[in-house]
Amino acid sequence: MNVVRSGWSARLVLVLLTITTTLSQATDLGFLLHKHPGRVQAFEQSFGTAHVFYPDADEARCTAALLLDVDPVKLVRTRGRGTPDFSLGQYVNDRPYAASSLLASAMANVFRTAMRGRCDLRPGLAETPIPLEVVLPALPCRGGPGQAERFFAPLGWDVSAVPVPLDPEFGEWGDSRYVTLTLTGTLRLADALNQLYVLLPVLDDAKHYWMAPDEVDKLIRAGEGWLATHPDRGTITRRYLANRRGLVRTALGRLADAEDATEEALDPAQVEEEPPTAEDGEDQPPSKEQPVSLAERRLQSVVQALRDENARRVIDLGCGSGKLLSHLAKDDFFSEISGTDVSHRALSHAWRRLRWDQPRRANDRVKDVFQGALTYADERFRDYEAAVLMEVIEHIDPPRLGAVERVVFGHAKPRVVVVTTPNSEHNVRYEGLAPGAMRHPDHRFEWTRAEFREWAGRVAAVHGYRVRHVPVGDDDPEVGAPTQMGVFTR
Ligand code: SAH
């Protein structure tokens, strides 16, 4: 069972996770993890010590193991101090050898840089999917092996989840709630680590009594690039946030905003699929308001603006995974639709969505969906009646924004430009968003209504456009609507 009792029974050494690659030059795993394959390294944690070592390290095959040496005394001392480990005392008593939350917090600590996808010595490799095998010998898994399959398979893993018998010597006691989980697949290491970080505690689904204020931020950050499009994102988000309704709604809203979760992610039915438990006391009662997500309302507002301006040939600049494109492609009003984005990853979602989502005849109106950068003038951006920049400008570094203005308003210069961006004044209405924090880790800025008006007015004046402003979402009397939209015409 990979449980080694060291000394007397109060101290436990647990092998909880191994990661293997068969990449050629497999020992490059050491660079990616920022941990040298030749050394055993120890990292102090609030609950004990995490060790990283490599049972296997040659050019053909390299395995890193994460081992936790849990000190029950330390663990109990953290109780009540408001640390994320607060609820973990139970692991010592109940199930010392399988501590998903301890593992997740140790991973975040020990593999922080790797989880961000940073590797200065092997930058290409950090971006590249590599062959991986991840083994968790004893993973608590509520919902049984099928649940592990449902969470991991859509992310591209081959999943083997074998129930662990309650007592290996007396198998007739039946299976425990633990599985031995083996994941095999070709993924970016950072994606694999972030998926484990989120999904291990989610599979455990142990009750947490305390949530750190930045828990939503952590989830959004770790979920980047995979959670918004995961078919079980509702369940994952709800379990990760211990069913705190306000936080769950905020997180799902931000996921839908940031990427391309479809509307059902915000469907209140999904959020409330599990009844609240006694521990949910501090939650607000379920609310039935906001049946339509902000992402959906934003999309509707953009489409309405295009219709109002009678713009039928449209290019979506920074189209992301193609939510607006696929919407426009279904609407007969629009005659020619193109999209561009700098991110190949986003585009591959868009291509897939357009191929899978559309009735055949609608595809005829999609002219081109191509990789491009808005900071460089590009002939392919020209000759449309309208350009849309939906939730894009806030992703541009401020020093590059002038280039984008010149490319869009000066060079492509369509008759209509529709720009949407968050209204930062509204952020105080998002529960779980720390004061001054932005809605998405990739945002370079978020503007107040006055800041957006000032920018829009200047750009319009310089390039010969008029601009009108439209609030998107409920227009709060104090802080305005969550999204602001400028419709530029000339
Ligand atoms: N418009 C989409 C996506 C918004 S996310 C939607 O509303 O759903 C912002 C998008 O802008 C990302 O897909 C990002 O890759 C893209 N982006 C950021 N900087 C860019 C640039 N310089 N050129 C082109 N696209 C860019």
Side-chain angles (χ1 to χ4, degrees), residues 74-86:
K74 264 186 160 182
L75 188 55
V76 169
R77 270 197 211 127
T78 64
R79 186 181 283 265
R81 294 232 189 112
T83 75
D85 306 327
F86 165 59

Side-chain angles (χ1 to χ4, degrees), residues 242-262:
N243 213 19
R244 298 281 197 269
R245 276 165 213 296
L247 298 182
V248 171
R249 192 164 278 116
T250 301
L252 288 175
R254 285 175 62 190
L255 280 175
D257 271 8
E259 302 203 33
D260 275 300
T262 45

